């Protein structure tokens, strides 16, 4: 494997939780964290609170996320992760584009995130995976604001309530996590479990019985799943239960990808 210990460290822009260590928690920035760690590319983290993402990225000259990377009706918007590569004086936005950039500029033979010819299929994996879990995600989202610093917590609750089409965040959080409403909480968890059952079915037909989506080769598709598991582990009140589902597959997968990536959590 190529050795990158002598290059200038890249900068990963990430959103902090309100815990001192680790501070990382979000699924999108975690993908890049896994990628950099797995490829053994040195990096430092620059923490940015949600309301500061757009002004900070605009002032740095980083690109907004283009609508095509989201849905056709969306406006361009500033999102994290963004990386800055001082070795090429370049900012890159969007976890998928960053992974492709890293594969092309820092090839690491044997640790390619996109083995030849697999990028389109891996893009499709993202869509299928996100679609499969979408309905149960309220159980995870509900735990986020309490994990963030006040400016980010307030921003997250306000913007995500709008995205879910509800007036106040309490409609999300009480639906999903109010222990006095067990059926509602259970309903969201069961949706999540059903979504993960679908993903488990895909993993079961992976070649040669290897533990990764592509058998023995860890790729972007695994990082996508691993980053979501990191998110669940950091914010979902029910993580202990979730990681035991499907014969303990999710807990095992999470431990495996943390170890294989040697992920720098910060
Ligand atoms: N497809 C993008 C999605 C990035 C994204 O949505 N990031 C969230 C943080 S998890 C964000 O920065 N949101 C900004 C906002 O809500 O204003 C990627 O994978 O990088």
């Amino acid at each position: 494997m190529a050795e990158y210990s002598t290059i200038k460290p890249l900068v990963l822009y990430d959103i902090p939780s309100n815990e001192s260590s680790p501070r990382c928690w979000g699924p999108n920035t975690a993908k890049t964290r896994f990628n950099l760690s797995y490829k053994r590319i040195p990096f430092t983290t620059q923490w940015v609170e949600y309301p500061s993402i757009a002004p900070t990225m605009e002032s740095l000259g980083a690109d907004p996320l283009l609508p095509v990377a989201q849905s056709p009706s969306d406006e361009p918007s500033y999102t994290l992760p963004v990386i800055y590569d001082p070795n090429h004086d370049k900012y890159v936005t969007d976890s998928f584009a960053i992974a492709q950039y890293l594969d092309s500029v820092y090839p690491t033979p044997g640790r390619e995130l996109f083995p030849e010819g697999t990028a389109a299929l891996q893009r499709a994996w993202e869509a299928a995976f996100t679609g499969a879990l979408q309905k149960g995600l309220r159980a995870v989202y509900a735990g986020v604001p309490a994990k963030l610093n006040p400016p980010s917590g307030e921003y997250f609750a306000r913007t995500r309530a709008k995205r879910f089409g509800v007036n106040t965040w309490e409609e999300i959080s009480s639906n999903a996590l109010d222990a006095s409403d067990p059926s509602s909480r259970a309903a969201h968890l069961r949706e999540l479990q059903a979504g993960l059952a679908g993903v488990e079915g895909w993993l079961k037909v992976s070649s040669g019985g290897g533990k990764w989506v592509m058998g023995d080769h860890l790729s972007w598709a695994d990082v996508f799943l691993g980053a979501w598991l990191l998110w669940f582990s950091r914010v979902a009140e029910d993580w202990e239960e979730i990681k035991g589902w499907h014969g303990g597959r999710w807990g095992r997968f999470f431990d495996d990808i943390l170890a294989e990536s040697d992920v720098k959590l910060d």
Side-chain angles (χ1 to χ4, degrees):
M1 192 177 67
E3 183 51 70
Y4 297 117
S5 58
T6 56
I7 66 168
K8 289 185 210 151
L10 277 61
V11 181
L12 167 61
Y13 292 88
D14 196 351
I15 305 154
S17 73
N18 57 14
E19 286 168 12
S20 52
S21 180
R23 294 179 86 185
C24 66
W25 64 276
N28 290 308
T29 51
K31 292 173 217 160
T32 303
R33 190 171 284 286
F34 275 113
N35 293 167
L36 290 162
S37 300
Y38 180 54
K39 286 172 157 294
R40 310 295 190 257
I41 299 169
F43 69 99
T44 60
T45 304
Q46 191 73 43
W47 299 107
V48 185
E49 298 289 348
Y50 266 107
S52 304
I53 294 174
T56 307
M57 292 305 124
E58 196 172 4
S59 72
L60 291 171
D63 288 331
L65 189 66
L66 295 175
V68 68
Q70 308 179 72
S71 78
S73 58
D74 285 342
E75 296 290 321
S77 57
Y78 286 95
T79 56
L80 298 184
V82 165
I83 57 160
Y84 176 63
D85 183 351
N87 305 288
H88 299 275
D89 190 22
K90 188 165 173 60
Y91 286 93
V92 189
T93 303
D94 182 38
S95 59
F96 192 89
I98 294 170
Q100 289 194 305
Y101 171 84
L102 295 176
D103 257 7
S104 81
V105 177
Y106 303 100
T108 49
R111 291 188 181 222
E112 301 87 352
L113 300 164
F114 301 99
E116 187 66 27
T118 66
L121 283 174
Q122 296 204 62
R123 191 60 153 169
W125 160 275
E126 281 189 18
F129 182 87
T130 309
L133 268 58
Q134 201 61 43
K135 277 166 110 184
L137 280 188
R138 279 190 184 206
V140 182
Y141 269 90
V144 173
K147 291 280 181 178
L148 304 181
N149 292 314
S152 287
E154 185 281 325
Y155 179 97
F156 188 93
R158 179 167 41 81
T159 54
R160 273 45 177 186
K162 196 168 159 201
R163 199 176 284 178
F164 278 110
V166 296
N167 291 324
T168 64
W169 183 252
E170 283 62 43
E171 289 179 53
I172 301 279
S173 51
S174 61
N175 268 348
L177 289 179
D178 183 352
S180 67
D181 185 4
S183 62
S184 179
R185 178 198 182 95
H188 289 117
L189 268 184
R190 293 291 81 81
E191 298 272 20
L192 194 62
Q193 189 172 23
L196 282 170
V199 177
E200 134 111 326
W202 304 336
L203 286 171
K204 271 187 174 157
V205 298
S206 156
S207 61
K211 57 187 164 198
W212 309 119
V213 174
M214 292 184 194
D216 290 327
H217 184 96
L218 189 155
S219 70
W220 167 256
D222 301 296
V223 166
F224 200 92
L225 169 56
W228 279 48
L229 293 176
L230 181 128
W231 179 33
F232 297 175
S233 78
R234 301 283 290 126
V235 307
E237 198 168 307
D238 299 289
W239 170 239
E240 284 304 315
E241 180 184 335
I242 295 168
K243 71 182 190 187
W245 289 343
H246 310 116
R249 180 182 279 276
W250 312 114
R252 252 190 340 270
F253 189 98
F254 187 51
D255 289 344
D256 285 344
I257 199 162
L258 286 177
E260 185 85 9
S261 307
D262 193 16
V263 68
K264 175 169 166 318
L265 287 177
D266 287 339

